Every structure is written in structure tokens, then in C-alpha cells.
Amino acid sequence: MEYTLGLGLFLEKLGICHRYIIWRIAFNAILTGKDSKLISKDLVFDGVPVRVYWPKTPAAGNRRGIIYLHGGAGLTGSFRASEKICRFMANQSDSVVVSVGFRLAPEHPYPVPVLDSLTATIHFLKNAEEYGVDPNCIAIVGDSSGGTFAAAICQELVTREDLPRLRAQVLIYPFLQSGDFDLPSYQQNQSVPLLYRKRAIKLGLTHLTGKEINVDLVIKGAHIPTDMREKYKKWVSADNIPEEFKARGYVPNAPAPFSEELYEQVKRAGEAMFCPLVVEDDIIRQLPETFLLTCEYDILRDDGLLYKKRLLDNGVPVTHHHLPDGFHATLSFFGLWPLEFPSSRKCMEHVVQFLKSLYK
């Protein structure tokens, strides 16, 4: 995978094609074979492509439903790249799984990918019984940026009284805040593949703006106005990270002076739909039961830990699994023998165990 990322950058510099095209081709080249235990269909939910998976075994009643949002920084990912994950969830939890084919940046920058995901989710909630699903037992699952979208969608829907409530949100190493890229996990794991700190922020800002932005001052926090930093420090702060997660070293650094020009370029990064960690408490306390998975060797580890604290502080039940040997994107290797890591399977098994506990 690291080779694929590097090849995309190389070909882009030569002017042959955009790096994201190469990445998408590579991820779609994953061989998936067939699954005789499932029926799958490509459908369209209010204009958004989806792939739906049904177990072939007869069900006594309506099944649980799972909405799956893939990772890829909103720039890559697809049905095909997510096939093994969705099949495993459908088979092992006896659920109907909807994999959402949201549009991708930079062609369709924020908020298009998350709004596509929201549209598909609302359609499924409204029409769940048509797909053999109990509308009151639908969980939304996302990894990496898909976890960001899942968290944002849950927040958007808590005030919708015309829809069934989502039963749970499953957030697998999600990106959740853009206010501090110097938290312990960002320092400790800044050079850990596959998500280097500088690469991650570049990808995130490309998803946000559709453009290339110099990230050096963003890493130092120059994009955050003083009043905003003051408002959110109770939620986004290394002080809220348990001490055991600082054992590999952490040095607090003062942020760089505020840059108005930089802020204007990236100011939408402060929106809760892009950074769900900064939504107000009255929304947080209405969120459904939550599963959170974090990995030790992941710059986004502390985003998950900070969100866990916010949820628990507001009375939301949380199931948290931390993988001491895990790294960002470990789930992407699930089922790809011989590339699968022990943490890849642990991650998937923890998710399925939680989903099975939800019904009824």
C-alpha cells in the first residue's frame, strides 16, 4: 500500500495523471471472489449509489441493518475495496449491510461525501422494512474518514423526530478534530506508516477544499483563532488524554501565531460536520450507544480518546477497544491473506461482537 501511495505521487509529478486516480485503481484491483452465502445488489438511494448485502438464510423476522461508510480521507475507497469487510459483517452478524458509494474529493470536496452518506442513511431509515430490516435496529459503521462521516450523521439526525433513531454508531479510528495536530498521538506517530502526520493533514485539507494547501503552519496551529482555541480547549486538549498514552513521550508546544489568511482558506474545518468532536453538549448527550476503536500506532488515536471522554461525560454508553499493536488503516488489510495483520482481524471481530449484541 505504501508503494501504491508513492507511485501515485510519482506519476502526478510527471504530469501523467492525478495521484488519487492511481490510488483508486489500485484499491479497486483487490480480488474479492464470490460469497455463496450472500445476495448483493447495486442500488440507488435517492441518487446515491449503494451496494446492499443480504444473508441467504431465511430470517424469522426483520434483521438488524448496518450502514457502512468506507475510509480513504474522502478521496479514495469504493464498494469493491470494502467488499470483504461488508461480507464479513453481513455473514457474522446476520445483518443486511448497506455500503454507501458517496462521491469523492477533490472532484467533490466537503461536504459532498458526508451529505451523500447522510442522504443514503435517511433513505434506508425510512424504507428499512422494504429490505427486511428492523428500522429500530440500524447501526452506522465507519472507519477513518468513514468514522468521521458516521459521527457527523449521528449528530445531524438526533433532532429528526420524523425518522427512526439510529441504534448505535461504530467509529473505527475516526478523525474527529482539526484544532490540535500536536496531541500526544500526533507527536508519537507522526512518522508511522501508513498515515504520516503531514500526509494526513494534506489529505484532509484536500478533502475539505479540493485544493493543495501548505500544511506546515496548520500543523503548528496557526489556522485557529484565539477565541476558538479558548472555546474548545476544554474538549480538545492533551490534559484530557490519560497519562498511560503519553508514556512514549509528549512535549507540549505553544501554537504558532494566528494567520488570518490561512484561516480563511480552511475555516470550514471548524464545522462540526467536518470535526464532530466540537459539537455542543446538547447534541452529544442525545447520541446513541457508541463503539469506539483506537490503535496505539495511529496519529488519530487521541481523537478517539477525547471523543470517548465527551460521550461518557454526557451519559452516552461507550464500548471502547484499544489495539496496542494496531495502526491506522489496519482494517483495510482484513481478509487480504497473506497481508492481513493480527490487529486487522481483532478489529473486525470486536466490531462484529458489538453489532451482534444490539439485537434485540
Side-chain angles (χ1 to χ4, degrees), residues 185-241:
S185 62
Y186 277 97
Q187 289 189 15
Q188 295 162 357
N189 302 311
Q190 61 183 300
S191 300
V192 174
L194 299 163
L195 199 64
Y196 304 112
R197 176 166 65 173
K198 194 166 186 177
R199 172 187 288 168
I201 298 169
K202 279 186 175 180
L203 294 176
L205 292 178
T206 302
H207 166 217
L208 176 70
T209 66
K211 303 173 183 177
E212 292 276 337
I213 292 177
N214 188 310
V215 301
D216 291 333
L217 284 177
V218 175
I219 290 173
K220 296 177 180 178
H223 62 300
I224 304 294
T226 303
D227 58 341
M228 186 180 295
R229 187 180 303 281
E230 186 66 25
K231 177 180 179 181
Y232 294 135
K233 70 178 182 180
K234 61 181 176 180
W235 301 330
V236 184
S237 170
D239 293 341
N240 294 333
I241 304 297

Side-chain angles (χ1 to χ4, degrees), residues 115-134:
L115 291 179
D116 280 357
S117 302
L118 177 62
T119 296
T121 299
I122 290 173
H123 178 95
F124 191 47
L125 288 169
K126 286 181 175 179
N127 301 282
E129 292 185 354
E130 293 181 21
Y131 305 96
V133 170
D134 180 346

Side-chain angles (χ1 to χ4, degrees), residues 18-194:
H18 202 287
R19 74 187 76 171
Y20 306 116
I21 302 299
I22 297 297
W23 295 355
R24 293 171 193 172
I25 291 172
F27 294 142
N28 283 336
I30 295 172
L31 298 176
T32 58
K34 296 183 178 181
D35 191 323
S36 61
K37 298 178 182 177
L38 296 174
I39 298 169
S40 65
K41 291 183 180 179
D42 290 348
L43 304 173
V44 178
F45 285 1
D46 288 341
V48 179
V50 298
R51 179 168 292 176
V52 186
Y53 302 83
W54 289 268
K56 286 184 177 179
T57 55
N62 285 336
R63 288 183 161 98
R64 69 172 65 77
I66 298 169
I67 300 159
Y68 176 70
L69 308 176
H70 64 75
L75 299 162
T76 65
S78 66
F79 297 146
R80 188 175 180 83
S82 307
E83 191 90 13
K84 289 184 178 293
I85 295 169
C86 292
R87 287 175 179 175
F88 191 82
M89 286 193 294
N91 278 321
Q92 297 300 313
S93 69
D94 191 35
S95 303
V96 176
V97 176
V98 175
S99 182
V100 181
F102 49 84
R103 287 171 288 178
L104 299 170
E107 301 94 326
H108 305 283
Y110 170 85
V112 171
V114 68
L115 291 179
D116 280 357
S117 302
L118 177 62
T119 296
T121 299
I122 290 173
H123 178 95
F124 191 47
L125 288 169
K126 286 181 175 179
N127 301 282
E129 292 185 354
E130 293 181 21
Y131 305 96
V133 170
D134 180 346
N136 296 305
C137 195
I138 296 176
I140 188 165
V141 179
D143 60 290
S144 192
S145 57
T148 313
F149 300 167
I153 288 168
C154 279
Q155 293 179 2
E156 285 290 313
L157 294 181
V158 293
T159 58
R160 290 286 298 266
E161 296 182 358
D162 59 320
L163 296 171
R165 284 180 56 82
L166 285 166
R167 175 66 179 82
Q169 58 177 343
V170 176
L171 313 179
I172 304 165
Y173 41 75
F175 165 84
L176 297 168
Q177 61 84 30
S178 64
D180 190 344
F181 296 121
D182 206 39
L183 291 167
S185 62
Y186 277 97
Q187 289 189 15
Q188 295 162 357
N189 302 311
Q190 61 183 300
S191 300
V192 174
L194 299 163

Side-chain angles (χ1 to χ4, degrees), residues 237-297:
S237 170
D239 293 341
N240 294 333
I241 304 297
E243 289 301 315
E244 62 262 32
F245 292 102
K246 302 174 187 176
R248 291 193 286 125
Y250 168 63
V251 179
N253 294 310
F258 173 63
S259 167
E260 181 73 35
E261 179 182 0
L262 183 61
Y263 170 70
E264 287 299 321
Q265 289 180 289
V266 302
K267 62 184 178 182
R268 296 199 72 181
E271 296 178 3
M273 182 172 277
F274 189 77
C275 294
L277 184 60
V278 299
V279 79
E280 298 296 334
D281 283 345
D282 63 334
I283 297 295
I284 291 282
R285 66 175 61 101
Q286 298 180 68
L287 290 172
E289 183 177 354
T290 300
F291 172 100
L292 263 168
L293 185 133
T294 54
C295 294
E296 180 61 27
Y297 299 101

